[in-house]
Amino acid sequence: MDRLRANSVGVVGVVFMAIATAAPITAMTGNVPVAVGFGNGTGAPAGYLFATVVLTVFSVGYVAMTKHITATGAFYGFVSQGLGRVVGLASGLLAVLAYIVFEASIVGIFAYFAQTTVLAQFGVHLPWQLFAAIMLAATAILSYFDIHLTSRLLGVMLVAEVSMLFLMAVAVLVRGGGPDGIPLSPVNPLNAFGGPAAGLGLFFAFWSWVGFESTAMYGEESREPKKTIPRATLISVVGVGIFYIFVSWMAIAGNGLARSVQVAASDPLGFFFGPTETFVGHWAVLLFQWLLITGSFACGMAFHQCAARYMYAIGREGLIWKRLGRTHPRHGSPFVASFTQTAIAVVIVALFSLAGQDPYLSLYTLMAILGTMAILIVQTLCSFAVIGYFARNHKESRHWFKTFTAPLLGGIGMIAVVWLLVDNLGAAAGAAASTPFFHAIPWIVAGLFVIGILGALALKRFRPDTYAVLGRIVLDDAQERTEEEPAAVAQ
């Protein structure tokens, strides 16, 4: 069986990959202004505090699973092992859909940032499709090689974007903030549920973490995965949460309480550019614009890696197309799945282009909402899968909080997040809410889930051998095996 290259990445590399997927600079500049301007107002940092707590509780159960199951399919394998193969395959297809469209989504915002930055700084207007093509080509080439190369490149880009946001935030703090100083109300937990549309603000807070769970996908390629993946997951969730709270709080402090809501609603990028210009300098704003480009590229690259690994996990089990399960003989990369993902992303971007749609308002927004709806449902199922898995396996690892209470609370919390998305779907889509594709999103997600269930049932009846290994190929002591093999069942 083709194998991913083992020992390619350590804790730091996995953390970089996961945080790059969450895309701090894109999450902050894209989501915080919406939360402040139209959601929970200046209580947005408190919304991020609430999200940090919920996702940390979710991660407790998730981490418990990673200590026993190492599989590049991550959610697919976890749900299959905990809730059964039928629900597992349906969840796996939703996860594949999510990461496939996430790359196309990020290509859209990358092209938008690149086009506007080149126009602003050089006075040259170039078609956004050119920048989209450059990103798609660069991602395809880099993903062909060992993931160690990608993790290093993403590490450099991630450090740069985080440093810029941190520089702005620290400068505001050191200089005592704007007209209201450093107000404490933005981090008052009660204010997370205030403002004109608290649900919208909370949803955008949770949206900012999409991708953190990708740590588990790199288990087969990491050093000491039973230790690396749990550590990387918790570092990603808690570290990103603290960072988001601090940066959004200082951005509000820099603008001032009253002015923050006004600026966020009328000039989203100005919400961050303004404090950066005032407290750091104009040079930092110019650099900030370029880091929006590199940050979105890093995010798209990370999502590409996720999509390729999910396709690889399904392909090696003989589903859809068996060649997806091939790896490069030298680099150990899932190169067939990677090129397939590139082809799909090219088609999605081309269709939006031919339809005359905007890369930011339509491509980015609609694909992000579609992917977010799919992945949030899978995350919810994963929480309950933890309970199911430990109820049947590893009696020695069962714990009243880690393997029952935490995943139960995490699952309930994720159900609430899914409700927030559904309740604020139109507001989240903005101008794109009027398009036919927007109205089709819930049906696409529901339809694919049903197809997964029916497909699993068909395999159970007509291809029992294939059905037997659904979500069951895992890594243990550097050897791939299935649950049915005698060496330690369901690990």
Side-chain angles (χ1 to χ4, degrees):
M1 181 181 293
D2 287 40
R3 288 282 307 278
L4 296 169
R5 186 171 180 175
N7 300 315
S8 294
V9 65
V11 174
V12 175
V14 175
V15 169
F16 278 165
M17 297 290 288
I19 296 180
T21 311
I25 200 166
T26 304
M28 289 289 92
T29 58
N31 295 346
V32 174
V34 177
V36 173
F38 306 99
N40 40 12
T42 56
Y48 279 95
L49 174 60
F50 176 74
T52 301
V53 173
V54 172
L55 291 174
T56 300
V57 172
F58 163 82
S59 297
V60 171
Y62 189 68
V63 163
M65 289 284 273
T66 64
K67 292 179 179 178
H68 293 282
I69 300 176
T70 302
T72 197
F75 282 143
Y76 170 47
F78 291 178
V79 177
S80 294
Q81 300 265 5
L83 298 180
R85 295 170 175 84
V86 175
V87 179
L89 181 57
S91 299
L93 291 182
L94 284 188
V96 171
L97 169 69
Y99 290 111
I100 283 176
V101 300
F102 276 145
E103 181 185 359
S105 169
I106 299 303
V107 168
I109 199 168
F110 168 87
Y112 169 77
F113 284 148
Q115 183 185 50
T116 54
T117 298
V118 169
L119 178 61
Q121 296 195 17
F122 301 105
V124 178
H125 183 273
L126 297 173
W128 68 265
Q129 292 87 346
L130 172 63
F131 299 107
I134 291 173
M135 178 173 176
L136 288 165
T139 301
I141 294 170
L142 289 169
S143 299
Y144 177 78
F145 297 100
D146 177 8
I147 196 172
H148 184 62
L149 172 63
T150 300
S151 67
R152 283 191 169 185
L153 178 61
L154 294 187
V156 172
M157 293 181 176
L158 180 63
V159 169
E161 63 178 286
V162 167
S163 296
M164 174 53 67
L165 290 169
F166 191 69
L167 177 62
M168 180 277 294
V170 170
V172 172
L173 179 63
V174 169
R175 295 179 58 181
D180 302 302
I182 306 294
L184 295 179
S185 60
V187 289
N188 182 339
L190 295 178
N191 291 332
F193 309 97
L200 179 65
L202 288 171
F203 165 66
F204 272 90
F206 281 97
W207 193 356
S208 302
W209 266 272
V210 168
F212 83 90
E213 74 290 335
S214 63
T215 51
M217 298 180 202
Y218 303 107
E220 296 182 26
E221 299 162 273
S222 65
R223 293 185 287 275
E224 297 185 279
K226 308 299 184 187
K227 296 180 180 179
T228 295
I229 303 307
R231 290 173 182 171
T233 302
L234 289 175
I235 290 172
S236 299
V237 174
V238 178
V240 166
I242 294 172
F243 181 77
Y244 284 168
I245 294 166
F246 178 58
V247 170
S248 58
W249 181 19
M250 289 303 105
I252 290 173
N255 283 290
L257 291 173
R259 191 168 180 274
S260 287
V261 176
Q262 177 187 350
V263 173
S266 61
D267 182 15
L269 287 179
F271 180 75
F272 283 94
F273 287 167
T276 302
E277 176 95 35
T278 302
F279 294 92
V280 184
H282 184 65
W283 66 270
V285 175
L286 297 178
L287 179 58
F288 203 136
Q289 292 175 327
W290 288 104
L291 291 177
L292 287 172
I293 299 172
T294 59
S296 54
F297 177 84
C299 178
M301 168 68 77
F303 276 130
H304 178 95
Q305 299 288 352
C306 294
R309 277 151 185 77
Y310 264 109
M311 288 185 191
Y312 163 80
I314 287 179
R316 68 179 176 182
E317 293 182 0
L319 298 173
I320 302 178
W321 185 32
K322 194 171 183 178
R323 285 179 64 86
L324 291 172
R326 288 191 59 193
T327 55
H328 193 279
R330 178 180 176 184
H331 304 299
S333 60
F335 72 109
V336 176
S338 179
F339 285 139
T340 301
Q341 166 58 19
T342 296
I344 296 173
V346 168
V347 170
I348 294 174
V349 173
L351 288 175
F352 272 81
S353 175
L354 291 173
Q357 296 296 301
D358 185 86
Y360 176 68
L361 297 178
S362 293
L363 177 56
Y364 167 68
T365 302
L366 292 175
M367 291 296 100
I369 289 175
L370 172 59
T372 300
M373 179 176 287
I375 206 66
L376 287 179
I377 291 172
V378 178
Q379 284 183 1
T380 304
L381 291 171
C382 184
S383 289
F384 297 110
V386 174
I387 299 173
Y389 177 75
F390 283 100
R392 298 189 303 271
N393 303 283
H394 302 292
K395 183 177 180 180
E396 77 285 354
S397 298
R398 293 174 193 165
H399 188 275
W400 70 272
F401 182 72
K402 295 180 181 178
T403 61
F404 181 76
T405 306
L408 177 61
L409 293 175
I412 294 172
M414 296 312 299
I415 290 174
V417 178
V418 172
W419 178 83
L420 286 173
L421 170 58
V422 174
D423 190 52
N424 294 280
L425 204 60
S434 62
T435 63
F437 187 88
F438 168 78
H439 297 289
I441 287 176
W443 298 102
I444 293 172
V445 173
L448 188 61
F449 193 81
V450 171
I451 289 172
I453 290 175
L454 295 178
L457 293 174
L459 288 172
K460 184 177 183 179
R461 180 171 182 179
F462 300 109
R463 292 175 56 187
D465 291 342
T466 300
Y467 176 80
V469 298
L470 289 181
R472 294 307 200 269
I473 294 183
V474 301
L475 188 76
D476 186 59
D477 297 329
Q479 297 295 322
E480 281 175 328
R481 57 174 177 69
T482 66
E483 184 185 55
E484 282 67 28
E485 293 181 12
V489 174
Q491 292 187 13

